[in-house]
């Protein structure tokens, strides 16, 4: 129990550092680049980020469960997952740059390519899941914090020397590179082995088992990022900047709950295996209650603070972001509910339920975006996101 608490504190500290560094970076970018260039950068990043579902292959929860249930084979699972995701990363880079031909202006396609390269390094997050399953979340936090700080410093240097978008795009690759290298070194030091035999059949079995979660992940990312893409396509990139300035403040809180849920999921599996279903459910209700009520209190406070906070952080050019923030902050408790229930469904091998729910949310989000964005622009996208999460 203590090692999970230690890991949770370390991972929360990492998320806090990430939240602060990314928020400060966004504030500086907003004031330095303005709505048009910031909107273009965020539009490109949203397009690249949509393919994270394919890079992840839906393996995070599946792997954590396998690490707990079959500890004797954990190194084999780790190695096969890493290889599968490296292959997926290459596919992601190709697909992103093909799609960019139709959705991105020619002058920004090199920026898209540079940002897309971080898909080669994202597969190393399987090492983070491995450490969390071992109850050593504090070790993965070291790698993540190092990457965030490196990326933050590099972005500050970029802004100091003129804020060239290509270099700001390269910062995403650099941050992922530092995290990947340190995670690899830590796992090797923890006796993680990567030299066992490779079984294509095992890779296929892992991907097949996780396939509902792959599709579900695609749907979730679509309805989290499609707002930005539709705003850029239907209105303009400046409207994307107004929307992102607000949603970054609300989405920063996603990481708090999602981190706690991810860190304590192995503990919940231990409780289920050792103490039975009653203790498992009681623990979920207790932990989940704290998270949900905390998110509701946060949303209430934000309603009163949003206007002053946006003006203080971003300036008058982003004043419309306050209304967007008031709406999107209410999505936080529903995001937490969704994450908790997804873990529960996976535990009982009902991944398809997560998929059906995610598809329903995406369809609602798309329909409302089409109806609301032409009339309410960024605020319309915010309303669509909230209703989809509900």
């Amino acid at each position: 129990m203590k090692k999970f608490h230690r890991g949770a504190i370390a991972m929360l500290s990492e998320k806090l550092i990430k939240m602060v560094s990314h928020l400060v970076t966004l504030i500086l970018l907003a004031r330095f680049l303005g709505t048009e260039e910031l909107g273009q950068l965020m539009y490109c990043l949203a397009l690249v980020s949509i393919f994270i579902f394919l890079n992840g292959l839906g393996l995070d929860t599946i792997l954590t469960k396998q690490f707990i249930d079959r500890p004797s084979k954990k190194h084999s699972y780790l190695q096969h997952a890493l290889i599968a995701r490296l292959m997926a990363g290459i596919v992601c880079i190709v697909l992103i740059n093909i799609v960019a031909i139709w959705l991105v202006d020619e002058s920004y396609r090199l920026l898209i390519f540079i940002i897309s390269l971080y898909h080669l390094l994202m597969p190393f997050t399987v090492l983070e899941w491995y450490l969390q399953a071992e109850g050593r979340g504090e070790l993965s936090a070291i790698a993540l914090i190092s990457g965030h700080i490196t990326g933050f410093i590099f972005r500050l240097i970029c802004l100091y020397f003129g804020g060239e978008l290509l270099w700001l795009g390269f910062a995403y690759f650099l941050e992922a590179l530092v995290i990947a290298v340190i995670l690899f070194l830590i796992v090797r030091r923890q006796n993680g082995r990567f030299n066992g035999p490779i079984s294509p059949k095992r890779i296929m079995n892992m991907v097949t088992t996780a396939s509902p979660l792959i599709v579900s992940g695609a749907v979730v990312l679509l309805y989290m990022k499609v707002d930005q893409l539709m705003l850029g396509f239907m209105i303009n990139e400046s409207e994307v900047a107004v929307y992102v300035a607000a949603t970054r403040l609300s989405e920063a809180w996603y990481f708090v709950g999602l981190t706690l849920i991810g860190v304590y999921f192995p503990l919940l599996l231990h409780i289920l295996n050792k103490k039975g279903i009653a203790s498992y459910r009681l623990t979920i209700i207790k932990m989940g209650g704290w998270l949900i009520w905390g998110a509701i209190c946060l949303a209430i406070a934000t309603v009163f603070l949003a206007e002053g906070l946006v003006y203080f952080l971003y300036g008058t050019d982003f004043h419309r972001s306050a209304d967007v923030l008031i709406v999107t902050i209410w999505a936080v408790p529903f995001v937490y509910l969704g994450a908790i229930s997804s873990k529960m469904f996976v535990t009982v091998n009902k991944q398809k339920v997560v998929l059906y729910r995610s598809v329903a949310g995406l369809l609602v989000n798309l329909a409302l975006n089409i109806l609301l964005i032409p009339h309410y622009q960024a605020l319309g996208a915010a309303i669509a996101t909230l209703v989809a999460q509900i």
Side-chain angles (χ1 to χ4, degrees), residues 298-307 326 329-330:
L298 170 70
I300 293 172
T302 302
V303 170
F304 297 99
L305 298 173
E307 186 173 352
I326 289 172
I329 195 67
W330 285 101

Side-chain angles (χ1 to χ4, degrees), residues 241-309:
V242 170
Y243 181 77
V244 171
T247 54
R248 280 295 175 87
L249 293 173
S250 54
E251 288 176 1
W253 292 100
Y254 291 2
F255 296 113
V256 176
L258 297 181
T259 298
L260 285 172
I261 293 166
V263 169
Y264 282 105
F265 181 56
L267 174 61
L268 292 173
L269 291 177
H270 281 297
I271 291 173
L272 177 63
N273 292 336
K274 294 181 179 180
K275 297 184 179 181
I277 190 70
S279 295
Y280 165 75
R281 288 175 175 169
L282 186 63
T283 305
I284 288 177
I285 292 170
K286 185 176 180 180
M287 289 182 174
W290 280 104
L291 278 176
I292 303 307
W293 283 110
I296 291 172
C297 292
L298 170 70
I300 293 172
T302 302
V303 170
F304 297 99
L305 298 173
E307 186 173 352
L309 184 63

Side-chain angles (χ1 to χ4, degrees), residues 329-348:
I329 195 67
W330 285 101
V332 176
F334 296 101
V335 169
Y336 291 176
L337 280 170
I340 294 169
S341 58
S342 293
K343 299 292 187 184
M344 295 175 69
F345 284 127
V346 171
T347 300
V348 294

Side-chain angles (χ1 to χ4, degrees), residues 23 26-27 29-31 33-44 46 227-233 235-249 310 314-315 317-322 324-325 377-379 381:
L23 182 57
L26 182 63
I27 293 168
L29 288 173
R31 292 183 175 272
L33 299 178
T35 56
E36 185 174 346
E37 279 199 305
L38 176 61
Q40 190 64 60
L41 178 62
M42 292 298 105
Y43 180 77
C44 291
D227 313 75
Q228 298 174 38
L229 296 176
M230 292 182 74
L231 277 170
F233 185 76
I235 310 297
N236 54 50
E237 282 79 14
S238 295
E239 203 63 23
V240 176
V242 170
Y243 181 77
V244 171
T247 54
R248 280 295 175 87
L249 293 173
V310 167
Y314 300 118
D317 288 347
F318 290 82
H319 67 278
R320 291 189 298 113
S321 296
V324 177
L325 175 59
Q377 300 178 346
L379 181 60

Side-chain angles (χ1 to χ4, degrees), residues 17-325:
I17 292 172
K18 178 179 181 178
M19 182 172 64
V20 171
S21 64
H22 284 200
L23 182 57
V24 171
T25 299
L26 182 63
I27 293 168
L28 294 174
L29 288 173
R31 292 183 175 272
F32 190 92
L33 299 178
T35 56
E36 185 174 346
E37 279 199 305
L38 176 61
Q40 190 64 60
L41 178 62
M42 292 298 105
Y43 180 77
C44 291
L45 182 60
L47 180 59
V48 173
S49 299
I50 280 181
F51 287 84
I52 288 176
F53 81 91
L54 182 57
N55 193 307
L57 292 177
L59 291 176
D60 51 351
T61 303
I62 297 291
L63 268 183
T64 302
K65 189 173 185 298
Q66 289 175 333
F67 289 153
I68 299 297
D69 294 344
R70 302 175 181 177
S72 62
K73 296 183 178 180
K74 60 186 178 183
H75 292 114
S76 178
Y77 283 124
L78 179 64
Q79 179 173 292
H80 284 79
L82 182 58
I83 293 172
R85 286 197 56 190
L86 284 170
M87 294 168 62
I90 295 172
V91 173
C92 286
I93 293 174
V94 174
L95 291 177
I96 288 166
N97 288 278
I98 291 175
V99 172
I101 295 174
W102 288 280
L103 297 181
V104 179
D105 185 86
E106 186 176 356
S107 59
Y108 291 103
R109 287 177 193 164
L110 179 58
L111 175 63
I112 278 281
F113 174 73
I114 291 172
I115 297 176
S116 70
L117 291 177
Y118 76 64
H119 276 279
L120 283 176
L121 300 165
M122 283 192 62
F124 287 90
T125 56
V126 298
L127 307 181
E128 179 188 346
W129 307 335
Y130 171 81
L131 291 171
Q132 288 185 12
E134 294 286 295
R136 302 304 305 272
E138 72 277 7
L139 295 178
S140 59
I142 292 172
L144 295 169
I145 290 172
S146 300
H148 301 329
I149 292 176
T150 301
F152 178 67
I153 293 173
F154 186 81
R155 290 181 180 97
L156 290 180
I157 294 172
C158 290
L159 290 175
Y160 180 79
F161 285 102
E164 175 65 39
L165 285 183
L166 293 179
W167 286 108
L168 289 170
F170 179 76
Y172 295 100
F173 174 81
L174 179 62
E175 185 172 333
L177 176 63
V178 172
I179 292 172
V181 170
I182 296 178
L183 278 174
F184 181 80
L185 294 175
I186 289 174
V187 171
R188 284 298 299 268
R189 190 173 182 180
Q190 295 292 313
N191 296 319
R193 298 189 296 273
F194 301 94
N195 56 356
I198 304 300
S199 170
K201 183 178 179 181
R202 173 165 290 183
I203 292 176
M204 288 300 301
N205 287 339
M206 293 173 68
V207 174
T208 301
T209 302
S211 57
L213 295 179
I214 298 175
V215 181
S216 174
V219 172
V220 169
L221 277 169
L222 273 174
Y223 74 62
M224 289 184 69
K225 298 296 182 181
V226 74
D227 313 75
Q228 298 174 38
L229 296 176
M230 292 182 74
L231 277 170
F233 185 76
M234 297 172 70
I235 310 297
N236 54 50
E237 282 79 14
S238 295
E239 203 63 23
V240 176
V242 170
Y243 181 77
V244 171
T247 54
R248 280 295 175 87
L249 293 173
S250 54
E251 288 176 1
W253 292 100
Y254 291 2
F255 296 113
V256 176
L258 297 181
T259 298
L260 285 172
I261 293 166
V263 169
Y264 282 105
F265 181 56
L267 174 61
L268 292 173
L269 291 177
H270 281 297
I271 291 173
L272 177 63
N273 292 336
K274 294 181 179 180
K275 297 184 179 181
I277 190 70
S279 295
Y280 165 75
R281 288 175 175 169
L282 186 63
T283 305
I284 288 177
I285 292 170
K286 185 176 180 180
M287 289 182 174
W290 280 104
L291 278 176
I292 303 307
W293 283 110
I296 291 172
C297 292
L298 170 70
I300 293 172
T302 302
V303 170
F304 297 99
L305 298 173
E307 186 173 352
L309 184 63
V310 167
Y311 178 79
F312 174 75
L313 294 177
Y314 300 118
T316 55
D317 288 347
F318 290 82
H319 67 278
R320 291 189 298 113
S321 296
D323 292 334
V324 177
L325 175 59

